[in-house]
Amino acid sequence: ITWVQYRRRPSAYITQANVHSVVTAQRNLHYKQVLCQADVSLPDGMPLVWLLRMRTKKALARVYGPDVMLSLSQEAARRGWRCFLYGGKPGVANRLKERLQMLYPGLQIVGTYSPPFRDLTPQEDAEVCRMINSLAPDIVWVGLGSPKQDIWMYEHRAKLDVSVMHGVGAAFDFLSGEVRQAPRWMMNIGLEWFWRLMMEPRRLWKRYTINNALFLYYLFLETLGLRRYK
């Protein structure tokens, strides 16, 4: 609330951390810096929640991206905050806009943009920044998937005159109806990755098989005291 009220610069950015992002950060120093400099990094994955519970001895809970987006959209509608949707496949952001405004009448979603799969040219990026700034949103929801969305927020935090950027990844697909969400019971026991793998095997098989194995390997080394990961 404070960030929105005082329009802080550079913009605050919030990441949703999971096994994929943590493992990627161990092999990509620039991405590690991106995560470490985030204003808030939320545990969006049960393996991280279990690890945090074990190490902090606190009853921490998962902070699920789609739930956060729904909750803050409701708050935005109540407070009159202006939102912008950046990301998703063509048409997804517009369907998400319609869904959120149906759920929360009065929610101001002042614009959407679905970037091409390739990187934008400097000229294209500058034009997009001008377009977003002209619409004066308070919150920019970013749905590019990790690590791309986190790096995008880090690189645009001084270019955009917005209060908060929040990377919510697959929330764009889930809340728009593009992709089916896993049942809550599967989420609660840490099997959402398996559900998503069954939904999109060609796109996600490498992410889940390799990164999950690496996460367990890194955890094993750290538990034995052979390595220490930041």
Side-chain angles (χ1 to χ4, degrees):
I1 294 174
T2 301
W3 290 344
V4 174
Q5 287 177 335
Y6 293 99
R7 181 74 66 162
R8 58 166 289 179
R9 293 293 301 274
S11 303
Y13 70 97
I14 301 171
T15 67
Q16 299 283 143
N18 53 33
V19 166
H20 175 58
S21 58
V22 169
V23 169
T24 302
Q26 304 311 315
R27 296 176 290 169
N28 184 324
L29 294 180
H30 175 61
Y31 184 50
K32 179 181 287 189
Q33 180 184 28
V34 168
L35 291 185
C36 289
Q37 292 194 19
D39 293 87
V40 179
S41 191
L42 303 172
D44 188 0
M46 288 308 299
L48 294 190
V49 172
W50 294 329
L51 186 59
L52 287 169
R53 287 174 181 172
M54 180 177 67
R55 294 190 173 181
T56 65
K57 309 302 181 184
K58 296 179 180 179
L60 301 174
R62 181 188 184 188
V63 186
Y64 183 47
D67 289 348
V68 173
M69 191 174 195
L70 290 175
S71 177
L72 289 182
S73 293
Q74 183 178 32
E75 188 71 8
R78 189 173 71 86
R79 293 180 178 271
W81 295 342
R82 296 161 63 86
C83 301
F84 188 94
L85 303 176
Y86 184 94
K89 299 174 186 176
V92 168
N94 286 329
R95 290 199 298 274
L96 177 58
K97 174 183 177 178
E98 293 172 0
R99 170 85 192 286
L100 292 175
Q101 290 182 324
M102 180 183 67
L103 289 173
Y104 309 114
L107 176 63
Q108 299 182 66
I109 299 180
V110 295
T112 68
Y113 182 74
S114 297
F117 187 71
R118 60 173 174 81
D119 291 336
L120 297 181
T121 66
Q123 293 79 9
E124 289 172 332
D125 185 67
E127 183 59 33
V128 169
C129 290
R130 283 193 292 269
M131 180 263 292
I132 294 174
N133 287 335
S134 71
L135 295 170
D138 299 298
I139 302 172
V140 175
W141 296 103
V142 186
L144 301 176
S146 296
K148 187 175 181 179
Q149 67 189 15
D150 305 319
I151 295 172
W152 187 89
M153 292 189 294
Y154 174 81
E155 293 178 345
H156 288 77
R157 67 196 190 284
K159 297 179 181 179
L160 297 179
D161 185 20
V162 303
S163 299
V164 186
M165 294 180 286
H166 194 146
V168 289
F172 275 50
D173 287 336
F174 292 149
L175 297 181
S176 68
E178 179 76 10
V179 176
R180 289 177 58 195
Q181 286 181 272
R184 288 284 170 168
W185 69 266
M186 292 189 77
M187 296 184 192
N188 294 337
I189 62 174
L191 284 179
E192 184 182 11
W193 68 270
F194 182 73
W195 172 273
R196 293 195 62 192
L197 181 60
M198 294 300 100
M199 293 292 102
E200 302 178 86
R202 294 181 63 184
R203 187 175 75 87
L204 296 175
W205 74 267
K206 183 179 293 186
R207 168 176 171 171
Y208 286 124
T209 56
I210 295 178
N211 283 351
N212 286 3
L214 283 173
F215 180 77
L216 293 174
Y217 174 67
Y218 294 153
L219 184 59
F220 175 73
L221 292 180
E222 192 168 73
T223 301
L224 293 182
L226 299 177
R227 290 287 300 272
R228 180 68 180 172
Y229 297 98
K230 182 177 179 181

